Amino acid sequence: MKSIVLLSFALVALSVWGCSSDDGAMSTDENAGITEIKDPGPINGDMAKFTKNGQGIAATYKGRKITVLMAEYLTTESADEAGRTVHYAVHGNKQLGGDFVPDVNYQVDGSLNVSYYVDQNRPCADLGVGATSASIDRAMASWDRASCSDLGMTKIPSSNAVTTGFISFILGYGGSFDVTADIVHCGWMSGAFFNDLAPNGSTNILGVTFTLVFTDDEGNLTDVDKNGQYDVAFREIYYNDNFAWHDQDGQKYDVEWVALHEAGHGLSQGHFGSRFVTNSNGKRHYAPLAVMNPAYNTDTPKIGETDLAGHCSLWAMWPKK
Ligand SMILES: [Ca+2]
Ligand SMILES: [Ca+2]
Ligand SMILES: [Zn+2]
């Protein structure tokens, strides 16, 4: 059975092999010169960063405590290490993911619709908030168009009076414990914020999504709907202003591409894709090529077949409104 799985994976890998256009022709000898780079796996992060005076985060929503579960970060295509998942709340050796609870009482927006908010108070240095907000809106609309799911994607209008940033607040970069939406695009942060996340983060990490989850009164993570996933309160997305950002001009780094990737995390999807390097030129490739690969890999922001399959497995059963 295992060999069949491996064989079918190899066929998938060959059939959907993707390289950016400047890579030139691949070797005709598929068995030579290509090395898989093993996924180093998730990291256990330092929860102490997110506690104050030895206490867990005391932020609450409707009487429920909220804490940080994990961070998923996206790296550049040239970073030595691909994006990874940092688990802050680890119970025993269990590193579970998080998912929204299909119950309005566990929806911070009080609705089974998926809401998002774009904070325009942390603008990008390269582009106006109109352009970056439009890019984010297109990314959210792309996920909303998936016909297998009925997200009811709803945008909460941006207001300069609203302060987002649960994570940035805790880490000392300003923000608040206010809750605005299921998915919050908090805006662009300095490179220092990303160095706090991972070594060389300022120069390797393009964006990050933090998953915030509910806990019980004692601070234990909950799984009230018993789906094997911790119960997500909301997610926060941050972009790295240490990079040059572009708006649909084919240059790196395209806001919509990164927003589409981060919104995939916002909708509970993780990274996937195996990483390979062509030995002769050091170019890195993913199979299958996808927007949910852990590194930036194309200038065309689009949801791939594998991305869509992952999305549908998470959302096809979401209750209709
Ligand atoms: Ca909702
Ligand atoms: Ca759950
Ligand atoms: Zn990611």
Side-chain angles (χ1 to χ4, degrees), residues 25-42:
M26 292 291 295
S27 164
T28 51
D29 183 356
E30 306 283 2
N31 295 317
I34 295 166
T35 308
E36 180 171 0
I37 306 170
K38 209 174 172 324
D39 179 358

Side-chain angles (χ1 to χ4, degrees), residues 107-115 182 318:
Q107 291 286 311
V108 295
D109 55 5
S111 164
L112 290 172
N113 288 324
V114 175
S115 60
D182 296 323
W318 189 253

